[in-house]
Amino acid sequence: MKAIKGKFLAKGVHVPDQKSLAMDVPIEVMDAPDIVAIGVQQHIGRPAEPVVATGDQVYMGQLIAKETGYISANVYSSVSGVVMGVEKRPNVGGTTSDYIVIQNDHHYQEMKLDPLPDHESATIKARIREAGIVGMGGAGFPTEVKLSPKTPVDYLVINAAECEPYLTCDYRLMIEKTEEVLAGIRLLAKALGEVKIVMGIELNKPKAIALFEKYDDIQVVALKKAYPMGSEKHLIYSCTGRKVPVGKLPADAGCVVQNVATAYAVYEAVELGKPLYERVMTVSGKGCIHPKNLLVKTGTPYDAIRENCGVKDETVKYIAGGPMMGPAMASSNVYTTKTSSGFLMLLPEETTEDNPSPCINCGACAEVCPMNLLPMQIDFYTQAGKYDLAAQYGGVRNCISCGSCAYVCPAKRALTQSIALCKKKLAENKGGAK
Ligand code: SF4
Ligand code: SF4
């Protein structure tokens, strides 16, 4: 179906693209290092429970940690080898959690899931759950749960915006694995029942738009380049014209959103019997000597990726994910997960000084906030330890952590950190006031 124009995102920011660094670099398979550390908490929800012990022989694609509840996900080994232990190791965000450490024998002996008896909705959903598939656009929410909304939906919205500057892994999947991504999208639609498929692709990816508009069952929506076009609520509005009310879910507007990499993982799980244990990630930034789109096994140390792609001496910052939403990394001695979409190595010219000055009440942060919040109020009350007031006057509970406010702040206020701290405190206090 010929692509149509999407509705315009009125707020948000325009950030320099930087996709050209890795956009034309074909996906390369990275060999995993001698030791991988596979986290039991690679998703939103309860951590998985290890089902292997020290000394066990495991195979690539073998279940090594089992889901522990409705919002949880299975974890599979990404290599064959021997389990060295279950240890606390650092996460990208600075916390620690349990990791299953495996000595890689480099034979990659594989275990597959059983072939499916049919491709009915319930069977597809059960396979997606069994395979440990979670939202690979960054959120890590178990995909099967999203495919089982409480109210009926009539739209499957495929998030192919990839609006984070630098990231090109979804783009490469779309142009190198078009048929497979398409098959995954159709399986997702089948799992949902009778739905229309819309696919939002930013205009800076004309090749991808041309490839997918050839299919009659998919309505491609060409999106104006803007950030955060890939946020669920904005994508839904741009693609369908529907608004998701504040505090509500996409399903309340009749929509389920899934990302391109997730669709690809669904294809692999359903058609090939392959659980989720590897993914494509973009390694980029001007500090990276050889920017790439790498197919990386989960549990690969970022250090090994840095070695594979090379880093310039002048590099001052590492980021996991995209520069707008991804956290700065204190160390690259951490491990990839199902949601690792990017690894950026940035030079001084690509980063801003972390030297905040007092707020000058310019209002720029509120002007760009796509959720119509008051980020300066969130920051003010958070700094004063008044998290409930940050929620009341700043609206932090509706924040989508897009980073647009911090991007435009002339005073370089650490708005992203304030917001993250405030959300954490509110969660700890179960929304209670301090
Ligand atoms: S307050 Fe939240 S939603 Fe608004 S711009 Fe800042 S990070 Fe984005
Ligand atoms: S953009 Fe920065 S300086 Fe301006 S009002 Fe917001 S926090 Fe204050």
Side-chain angles (χ1 to χ4, degrees):
M1 242 184 275
K2 193 159 173 46
I4 56 169
K5 271 192 198 163
K7 294 198 182 302
F8 181 53
L9 173 69
K11 289 199 167 188
V13 289
H14 295 277
V15 283
D17 208 320
Q18 307 294 5
K19 286 186 191 286
S20 59
L21 290 170
M23 194 158 194
D24 296 325
V25 185
I27 296 168
E28 178 183 314
V29 180
M30 178 182 166
D31 190 19
D34 292 345
I35 292 174
V36 296
I38 303 172
V40 300
Q41 177 82 76
Q42 300 184 41
H43 49 268
I44 286 179
R46 292 165 62 96
E49 178 73 30
V51 292
V52 289
T54 305
D56 283 359
Q57 164 75 44
V58 291
Y59 299 96
M60 184 169 75
Q62 179 177 335
L63 182 74
I64 54 171
K66 191 157 177 38
E67 59 174 44
T68 54
Y70 183 51
I71 314 286
S72 185
N74 286 336
V75 173
Y76 290 81
S77 180
S78 57
V79 297
S80 57
V82 175
V83 176
M84 298 171 70
V86 180
E87 299 170 9
K88 287 260 181 261
R89 297 246 171 150
N91 300 319
V92 162
T95 54
T96 59
S97 59
D98 286 339
Y99 282 78
I100 299 168
V101 183
I102 299 171
Q103 172 89 50
N104 181 8
D105 64 15
H106 295 277
H107 295 317
Y108 300 107
Q109 282 173 280
E110 198 177 355
M111 266 176 93
K112 295 253 189 199
L113 302 172
D114 293 334
L116 290 178
D118 58 56
H119 279 26
E120 297 303 320
S121 167
T123 314
I124 295 168
K125 285 202 274 188
R127 169 52 53 92
I128 289 171
R129 185 163 191 101
E130 182 187 16
I133 297 176
V134 301
M136 293 166 74
F141 194 81
T143 299
E144 184 269 333
V145 178
K146 260 177 118 178
L147 292 172
S148 310
K150 290 193 177 70
T151 49
V153 296
D154 55 352
Y155 269 113
L156 168 64
V157 181
I158 298 299
N159 187 351
E162 201 166 46
C163 61
E164 273 273 15
Y166 293 91
L167 298 192
T168 55
C169 46
D170 282 355
Y171 171 71
R172 291 308 310 180
L173 276 178
M174 285 191 279
I175 65 165
E176 290 184 50
K177 306 282 182 188
T178 312
E179 293 294 329
E180 292 87 342
V181 170
L182 180 71
I185 292 171
R186 287 176 174 156
L187 287 165
L188 285 163
K190 192 144 193 216
L192 282 168
E194 287 293 305
V195 288
K196 296 188 266 296
I197 305 171
V198 286
M199 187 172 187
I201 310 178
E202 279 195 346
L203 279 161
N204 58 355
K205 304 174 194 71
K207 228 188 226 181
I209 292 174
L211 282 169
F212 282 90
E213 70 179 357
K214 286 193 302 206
Y215 302 101
D216 283 345
D217 55 343
I218 294 187
Q219 178 62 69
V220 172
V221 182
L223 306 168
K224 202 167 165 168
K225 195 178 102 51
Y227 182 87
M229 188 54 93
S231 98
E232 283 198 339
K233 291 185 177 181
H234 297 96
L235 186 71
I236 287 169
Y237 176 69
S238 299
C239 290
T240 70
R242 293 184 184 175
K243 290 188 177 166
V244 182
V246 173
K248 297 284 183 186
L249 296 169
D252 294 309
C255 301
V256 164
V257 181
Q258 297 288 347
N259 133 295
V260 166
T262 312
Y264 183 67
V266 166
Y267 157 78
E268 291 197 312
V270 173
E271 301 295 354
L272 311 180
K274 183 179 160 189
L276 178 53
Y277 58 75
E278 62 185 2
R279 65 158 298 148
V280 181
M281 67 189 289
T282 302
V283 188
S284 189
K286 291 182 183 168
C288 179
I289 296 171
H290 304 293
K292 294 180 183 179
N293 296 288
L294 276 184
L295 181 66
V296 178
K297 306 262 189 252
T298 53
T300 297
Y302 278 77
D303 278 342
I305 298 171
R306 192 185 53 181
E307 214 169 284
N308 179 295
C309 299
V311 61
K312 294 179 188 163
D313 292 342
E314 313 87 276
T315 299
V316 289
K317 198 171 192 176
Y318 296 130
I319 290 181
M324 299 298 285
M325 293 186 81
M329 301 165 75
S331 151
S332 55
N333 187 22
V334 287
Y335 308 91
T336 60
T337 68
K338 298 170 185 177
T339 60
S340 301
S341 55
F343 178 24
L344 306 183
M345 306 172 198
L346 303 182
L347 296 182
E349 69 200 63
E350 299 172 280
T351 61
T352 51
E353 292 274 331
D354 293 333
N355 221 350
S357 53
C359 171
I360 55 169
N361 286 320
C362 65
C365 53
E367 238 165 72
V368 299
C369 177
M371 299 303 288
N372 298 317
L373 310 180
L374 297 173
M376 74 292 257
Q377 300 278 22
I378 301 173
D379 184 39
F380 176 80
Y381 287 114
T382 299
Q383 294 307 317
K386 305 283 186 195
Y387 310 114
D388 57 331
L389 297 182
Q392 191 178 340
Y393 295 115
V396 70
R397 285 199 178 90
N398 290 317
C399 168
I400 56 171
S401 299
C402 69
S404 300
C405 50
Y407 181 76
V408 296
C409 176
K412 305 294 171 216
R413 303 289 308 155
L415 297 172
T416 314
Q417 286 90 327
S418 273
I419 288 165
L421 174 67
C422 186
K423 284 183 177 178
K424 185 166 168 264
K425 292 290 180 186
L426 285 170
E428 281 170 10
N429 299 344
K430 291 203 171 61
K434 182 173 175 186

